[in-house]
Amino acid sequence: MKQSNALKIDTVTRDGIELITIEGFLDAHTAPILEKHIETLVNSNRIRIIIDFSALEYISSAGLGVFMSHIEEIRNKGGDIKMIKMTDKVYSVFDLLGFPMLFNLEKNEEEAIFKFNNNIIGGSD
Amino acid sequence: MNKIVNKGTNKFINLSVILLVIALLIRIAGDLLFTLFDYQLNIGDIWTLGLTLFIAVLLFSIFINNNFAVDNLFNKKTVNINDITKIHNQNYFKELNILLISVIILIILNSFIPKDLNYVNIGESVVYKVLSYTIAFVNLVYVVFAMATIFKWFYSHKHKFTLVYLFIISGIIFLFILIEFEIALFNIVNEFIADTINGLLMFFLFVFVFFVNTKNDWITLLPKKDKLKLLFLSFFALLVFGYLFDRNTDSIYEDSLSLAINRFTPGVIGLYYGSYLIAFSYFFKIFFITLFSLPTSNVVDKKSREFNNLKHLNRLIAGEFNLSKLFRTVLELSINQTRSSYAWMELYNGEECDIAQSINLKHEYISELNVYEGKCIFKTIDRPYLCENTNNDVFFKNIGMINQIAGSLISLPIFDAKKRVGSLVLLHRDKFGLDFYNLESMTAFANNVSIAFENSRLMKQSIEHERYKSEMVLARDLQKKLLPSNLPKIKNYSIAAFSFPAQEAGGDYYDVVRLKNGKMAILVGDVSGKGIAAAFIMAQLKGVVHSMAGRSSTGKELLVNINNSIFNNLSKNEFITMSCLILNDENGHINFARAGHTPLIVNEGGSMLYYKPKGIGLGIINNSMFVKNLEEIEIRLENHSVCYLFTDGINELRNSEMEELGFEGMNEMIRLNGHSSAEEINRDIKESLYSYAKDIEQTDDMTLFTLFYQN
């Protein structure tokens, strides 16, 4: 049963940090939406990005690829994408692929902001 | 088949002609013989009568079978089913013309009878005899021919009783002959009674033929021109056959022609007047039907034209996906049908109204014409609309441009399914030039155009879909080719694998390769992405794997080499997950490395062990990071343990309640015993997977590689 489930994106800018809340399903069909969104941010140099995963129901491998698309450019410009509030299920998908070694996966916004302020970038140990 | 029928018929005709010639020869011989006797002798007359009837019947059968007279419509190779009526009418007129022309020839021929022919010189002079007999014979031939033609006309509009009626008509003629013969030769019955019977029979025959002459609707549907032609011809036929009937009854004309006919065909006079009476009755009805159908000719013509136009349009709709050609035809037919002056088809694209096709007006002019106060006029009319008088119409009387060139108009909306896509507009110069009959028939046209629109769109969609489907099939086939068709035999290990591609899925990969040091490496991988793109990557991957295997001694080394090779060939959001299981020896010592892939599950005597060493997917990060974060572990297998390498299509498999199978669900499936080979295990697992997710369309590739250690 093919479902075209939607992805909702909300962005709030606060203290120079973009907080993106994603809701719903991130898969091959909806990934382009998120990718375009991130691209827009990158083009306007808003490169300190935190993504809130608490409302994300499902992610597929295509969805994972979205984050790899712009991370290099973002990090070269001095920013980062940090990910917070993943459910166990979503975390396990990222974990299998080895993302914890590449990104900061945090429990909440504060920890992510802390890492931004202290220039701690995921995957640079 | 036509050839066979024709051959048979020709054979028959040939036979009949031969018999005819023989009969005539016998007749002549007989005549010569009987001239030695008194011609009043009955035997001679009976003999002559018998032969005459025989000749008549032969002639009749020749004419009936003759393809020239009646073209079997369905045998003709070139008959177009749409022209059957036209061909039928053409044939009828052809036969009618032949009938009437030959009767004129007959009458002219009859005038060549010697005027001084009498009983004496007909017996004595050979010249007179030959001449008179020849002419009499021609009369016989004609009368039989006329009957054959009319019988065939009846038969071509037959119904279930037609043959019965024809039989009755023939029977009456036979009665005539009988009565005449009786009167002439035996004179047993009172002549007056015989005459009365004859008269009644004649009356009956006339009425009978009149009423039996049915199924003549085709006359009503003739074009006006043809109706007038038929009227004239049938009237002429009435005159001629009336005259001939009169002439052959009751010998009012005691002249040389009658004499000749009587001597040649004694007693068969009934055949003549009976046949001419039938012909007269036939044409009597035809004449009056035609006469009474004349007033409705115009309407019939109009409706006929409409019907044909619609038929033409329907054929076009079914086969024509080129819309502009279709529009052109529709406009031409519309103009033809309604005698309009101008017509066009406009299509709506957002706020624009574009002129797709037009007749008698330039597109630029129409673009000025169809806009009023910035809006497309006809777009606002969403149902078929007739304006009988533009000067009097609430809407159009203010639009000067339109009521200058048109006195009346019709506007028809065109839809594609529920969406309004355009309009068909007809302008007529005169007020009241278009009426609601036109509106009715034009609405039918417009509906056809809407259907054509929809068809064209659906066709395009279908072609796109087919192309997409074939792309998918191509990808799937490619995937299949890249997977090993046979797995090698390895001592103490039973191995088996299956891979079920989904409709839209990325490439799942598995393989068994030999490393530099001879050790066997089992690989299972999952390419991200879908369709042809994923299949291409899979193809590349296979190549890389096989070339790197010979340069690697461990699982970690192999994966690092692969990552190095493909990293630059994948785009940023493409990656591959892969697991690598190395068989160190024949005693259950294995190594395992995992690049972002699903964990290794080992079923050890009923306990499930999960191995998830550290590792990032291939193609995500460059080598130093990749190497640093890749862990290879050693495992010692217990005897009869089963190792499972799989892709996430299996643990993420959903049932009809959208519940994922998960590792828990997999536990149940793989907690088996009593199997003797990996193949058997896989067979059972396949069944379990199938029943878990039956009726659900597969959304991801499912791959399972099973390694059964049996020492």
Side-chain angles (χ1 to χ4, degrees):
Chain A
M1 194 160 47
K2 233 188 300 204
Q3 289 185 313
S4 40
N5 288 299
L7 179 74
K8 226 175 75 170
I9 307 178
D10 259 316
T11 316
V12 171
T13 316
R14 212 167 37 213
D15 303 327
I17 290 187
E18 311 296 320
L19 179 62
I20 303 177
T21 316
I22 54 177
E23 191 183 325
F25 291 73
L26 186 55
D27 56 22
H29 297 283
T30 56
I33 306 172
L34 181 59
E35 170 150 3
K36 216 178 198 167
H37 195 83
I38 294 178
E39 191 176 328
T40 322
L41 292 177
V42 173
N43 287 339
S44 43
N45 263 343
R46 287 141 75 186
I47 48 172
R48 300 178 128 205
I49 300 170
I50 297 178
I51 304 183
D52 183 338
F53 282 78
S54 53
L56 187 70
E57 285 182 54
Y58 169 84
I59 186 163
S60 76
S61 54
L64 289 163
V66 174
F67 304 106
M68 296 312 303
S69 299
H70 295 281
I71 191 61
E72 202 179 323
E73 195 186 343
I74 290 176
R75 284 180 177 169
N76 283 342
K77 287 185 174 184
D80 195 16
I81 300 178
K82 299 196 194 300
M83 305 173 191
I84 64 172
K85 297 187 188 167
M86 286 188 188
T87 59
D88 287 341
K89 188 161 172 306
V90 170
Y91 183 84
S92 65
V93 176
F94 279 95
D95 186 39
L96 267 185
L97 200 56
F99 266 47
M101 298 174 267
L102 305 169
F103 291 90
N104 296 126
L105 305 181
E106 308 302 331
K107 289 210 184 50
N108 52 43
E109 209 178 316
E110 288 71 37
E111 296 199 19
I113 293 174
F114 176 78
K115 294 221 165 130
F116 267 121
N117 292 336
N118 289 285
N119 246 343
I120 303 173
I121 306 287
S124 55
D125 293 331
Chain B
M1 199 205 143
N2 295 351
K3 271 224 169 95
I4 298 172
V5 169
N6 285 349
K7 249 206 181 133
T9 314
N10 284 339
K11 269 216 185 98
F12 181 77
I13 290 176
N14 291 340
L15 183 65
S16 310
V17 171
I18 291 170
L19 283 174
L20 184 69
V21 171
I22 292 174
L24 284 170
L25 286 173
I26 293 177
R27 171 63 196 273
I28 293 169
D31 267 3
L32 284 171
L33 255 165
F34 286 123
T35 41
L36 296 178
F37 298 87
D38 188 352
Y39 59 75
Q40 294 271 5
L41 198 54
N42 287 355
I43 297 174
D45 282 333
I46 293 171
W47 164 258
T48 317
L49 171 72
L51 260 175
T52 307
L53 287 176
F54 181 66
I55 291 168
V57 165
L58 271 176
L59 281 168
F60 188 78
S61 59
I62 290 173
F63 288 129
I64 284 279
N65 278 304
N66 193 339
N67 273 331
F68 166 70
V70 163
D71 278 330
N72 189 335
L73 292 172
F74 298 99
N75 274 348
K76 257 187 143 151
K77 269 176 284 189
T78 52
V79 162
N80 184 338
I81 200 84
N82 299 298
D83 295 332
I84 283 212
T85 314
K86 202 163 68 175
I87 291 178
H88 163 268
N89 296 343
Q90 274 173 352
N91 281 349
Y92 181 82
F93 278 107
K94 195 163 71 176
E95 287 157 19
L96 182 57
N97 286 337
I98 291 172
L99 192 71
L100 296 179
I101 288 173
S102 33
V103 86
I104 292 170
I105 294 175
L106 182 75
I107 293 174
I108 293 172
L109 199 66
N110 284 348
S111 64
F112 283 105
I113 277 266
K115 300 281 186 260
D116 59 343
L117 193 70
N118 58 40
Y119 287 102
V120 175
N121 55 23
I122 204 170
E124 288 173 2
S125 164
V126 171
V127 172
Y128 273 40
K129 194 166 205 155
V130 165
L131 189 59
S132 58
Y133 272 23
T134 311
I135 291 178
F137 180 64
V138 173
N139 273 276
L140 176 66
V141 168
Y142 180 77
V143 92
V144 173
F145 172 70
M147 271 307 95
T149 307
I150 291 182
F151 270 41
K152 271 196 289 200
W153 284 341
F154 273 116
Y155 195 69
S156 70
H157 299 121
K158 55 184 169 293
H159 50 82
K160 62 184 174 186
F161 291 124
T162 301
L163 276 176
V164 174
Y165 295 151
L166 290 178
F167 194 72
I168 294 173
I169 292 169
S170 313
I172 295 175
I173 292 185
F174 186 71
L175 280 176
F176 285 146
I177 294 173
L178 213 58
I179 292 170
E180 285 297 329
F181 195 71
E182 194 278 331
I183 291 176
L185 265 54
F186 299 113
N187 225 336
I188 302 171
V189 180
N190 184 344
E191 189 159 335
F192 177 72
I193 294 177
D195 270 347
T196 316
I197 295 174
N198 225 17
L200 286 172
L201 271 176
M202 277 194 238
F203 178 74
F204 173 74
L205 183 62
F206 179 85
V207 171
F208 186 73
V209 169
F210 184 85
F211 282 112
V212 154
N213 186 1
T214 54
K215 286 194 158 189
N216 286 310
D217 289 340
W218 60 276
I219 296 179
T220 320
L221 296 171
L222 285 173
K224 189 164 187 173
K225 214 173 52 177
D226 285 350
K227 273 186 192 166
L228 290 172
K229 195 161 72 170
L230 186 59
L231 194 72
F232 172 72
L233 289 175
S234 56
F235 184 71
F236 178 72
L238 272 181
L239 292 178
V240 163
F241 288 116
Y243 160 71
L244 284 170
F245 169 68
D246 200 32
R247 206 186 196 298
N248 280 295
T249 49
D250 218 35
S251 302
I252 299 172
Y253 302 85
E254 280 284 5
D255 63 359
S256 28
L257 178 63
S258 309
L259 179 64
I261 289 177
N262 272 311
R263 286 314 342 127
F264 185 73
T265 55
V268 192
I269 202 70
L271 175 65
Y272 288 86
Y273 64 70
S275 303
Y276 291 132
L277 179 62
I278 291 168
F280 183 80
S281 173
Y282 174 84
F283 283 108
F284 190 76
K285 185 149 194 192
I286 297 288
F287 174 77
F288 280 105
I289 291 177
T290 312
L291 185 66
F292 290 139
S293 76
L294 276 175
T296 53
S297 290
N298 286 330
V299 149
V300 166
D301 279 0
K302 198 166 169 202
K303 280 293 170 190
S304 238
R305 218 166 356 117
E306 195 178 299
F307 179 72
N308 283 331
N309 281 344
L310 212 58
K311 231 174 28 169
H312 182 173
L313 199 59
N314 268 334
R315 272 210 303 279
L316 205 64
I317 300 280
E320 189 62 68
F321 298 111
N322 177 344
L323 286 178
S324 72
K325 187 162 164 210
L326 181 74
F327 294 157
R328 181 118 213 119
T329 309
V330 170
L331 292 177
E332 284 167 0
L333 291 179
S334 304
I335 292 219
N336 167 298
Q337 179 103 341
T338 59
R339 309 262 189 257
S340 303
S341 328
Y342 315 108
W344 72 81
M345 178 77 72
E346 57 184 48
L347 296 177
Y348 305 132
N349 228 335
E351 286 307 311
E352 313 268 312
C353 51
D354 306 316
I355 312 300
Q357 279 284 350
S358 68
I359 298 193
N360 293 337
L361 285 179
K362 285 208 165 70
H363 285 210
E364 300 81 38
Y365 185 65
I366 300 177
S367 298
E368 295 177 38
L369 207 58
N370 69 355
V371 175
Y372 183 69
E373 288 174 357
K375 286 209 284 249
C376 301
I377 302 172
F378 299 99
K379 191 172 177 184
T380 62
I381 308 175
D382 62 354
R383 46 187 172 71
Y385 182 74
L386 164 71
C387 171
E388 289 185 313
N389 186 356
T390 51
N391 282 322
N392 217 1
D393 181 274
V394 134
F395 191 57
F396 286 101
K397 68 180 176 198
N398 298 320
I399 306 181
M401 279 195 88
I402 288 196
N403 61 38
Q404 243 172 37
I405 63 169
S408 52
L409 67 83
I410 282 178
S411 163
L412 303 154
I414 306 290
F415 293 94
D416 175 357
K418 296 247 160 67
K419 183 167 155 220
R420 174 75 183 279
V421 293
S423 301
L424 175 76
V425 181
L426 298 170
L427 300 183
H428 196 293
R429 234 193 306 261
D430 306 329
K431 61 181 180 181
F432 309 124
L434 295 170
D435 58 22
F436 66 87
Y437 292 113
N438 295 135
L439 184 65
E440 195 179 45
S441 60
M442 283 299 106
T443 306
F445 274 29
N447 287 342
N448 271 344
V449 175
S450 296
I451 290 172
F453 241 105
E454 199 173 336
N455 275 355
S456 168
R457 177 176 53 84
L458 290 175
M459 195 64 183
K460 282 203 202 90
Q461 280 177 358
S462 172
I463 292 171
E464 278 306 313
H465 184 72
E466 283 308 304
R467 205 185 300 142
Y468 173 76
K469 256 178 36 187
S470 58
E471 203 186 276
M472 283 300 117
V473 167
L474 207 69
R476 190 137 32 113
D477 283 351
L478 199 63
Q479 270 171 245
K480 232 194 291 195
K481 284 206 187 98
L482 296 169
L483 296 175
S485 40
N486 288 313
L487 294 175
K489 296 240 180 308
I490 308 173
K491 187 144 183 250
N492 292 341
Y493 292 102
S494 165
I495 57 177
F498 64 78
S499 183
F500 294 144
Q503 273 279 39
E504 264 185 72
D508 267 9
Y509 171 76
Y510 70 83
D511 216 339
V512 180
V513 296
R514 207 178 274 282
L515 297 181
K516 192 164 74 176
N517 48 26
K519 292 183 184 174
M520 297 296 268
I522 296 168
L523 298 162
V524 172
D526 184 349
V527 178
S528 71
K530 297 191 186 290
I532 294 259
F536 266 31
I537 295 173
M538 221 260 256
Q540 275 184 62
L541 178 68
K542 185 171 171 100
V544 169
V545 164
H546 281 262
S547 70
M548 291 307 152
R551 292 183 222 185
S552 316
S553 305
T554 68
K556 176 160 174 172
E557 217 181 310
L558 180 57
L559 290 174
V560 167
N561 283 338
I562 293 173
N563 187 56
N564 219 13
S565 221
I566 59 154
F567 181 73
N568 288 317
N569 291 346
L570 295 176
S571 41
K572 289 193 192 142
N573 57 353
E574 285 169 342
F575 57 87
I576 305 174
T577 65
M578 185 171 279
S579 279
C580 178
L581 195 151
I582 310 290
L583 303 177
N584 288 321
D585 58 26
E586 298 168 358
N587 299 311
H589 289 101
I590 62 174
N591 277 10
F592 178 65
R594 182 192 73 87
H597 200 69
T598 49
L600 171 69
I601 301 181
V602 181
N603 178 355
E604 206 171 76
S607 328
M608 297 297 162
L609 306 174
Y610 288 75
Y611 295 95
K612 194 175 128 241
K614 214 168 56 160
I616 304 173
L618 299 166
I620 295 182
I621 197 83
N622 66 20
N623 249 14
S624 54
M625 275 293 287
F626 181 81
V627 174
K628 201 163 69 168
N629 288 296
L630 183 61
E631 190 189 345
E632 184 170 3
I633 57 176
E634 270 180 42
I635 302 172
R636 170 88 220 288
L637 292 176
E638 297 262 332
N639 205 353
H640 302 297
S641 338
V642 186
C643 300
Y644 298 99
L645 291 168
F646 54 95
T647 59
D648 60 10
I650 293 190
N651 58 301
E652 288 182 6
L653 184 66
R654 289 178 192 268
N655 63 6
S656 48
E657 263 103 67
M658 298 306 287
E659 293 163 339
E660 273 188 15
L661 182 62
F663 295 127
E664 306 302 319
M666 283 185 73
N667 280 351
E668 294 315 308
M669 278 185 197
I670 60 183
R671 197 192 302 278
L672 328 139
N673 46 38
H675 293 87
S676 55
S677 71
E679 198 60 67
E680 270 180 44
I681 295 173
N682 276 7
R683 198 191 43 207
D684 278 357
I685 292 178
K686 269 190 255 184
E687 250 180 68
S688 310
L689 287 173
Y690 179 71
S691 62
Y692 182 78
K694 58 180 171 221
D695 300 334
I696 302 292
E697 196 184 324
Q698 197 182 338
T699 53
D700 196 5
D701 290 358
M702 291 196 289
T703 303
L704 176 68
F705 198 112
T706 304
L707 179 86
F708 194 177
Y709 175 52
Q710 300 164 302
N711 199 338

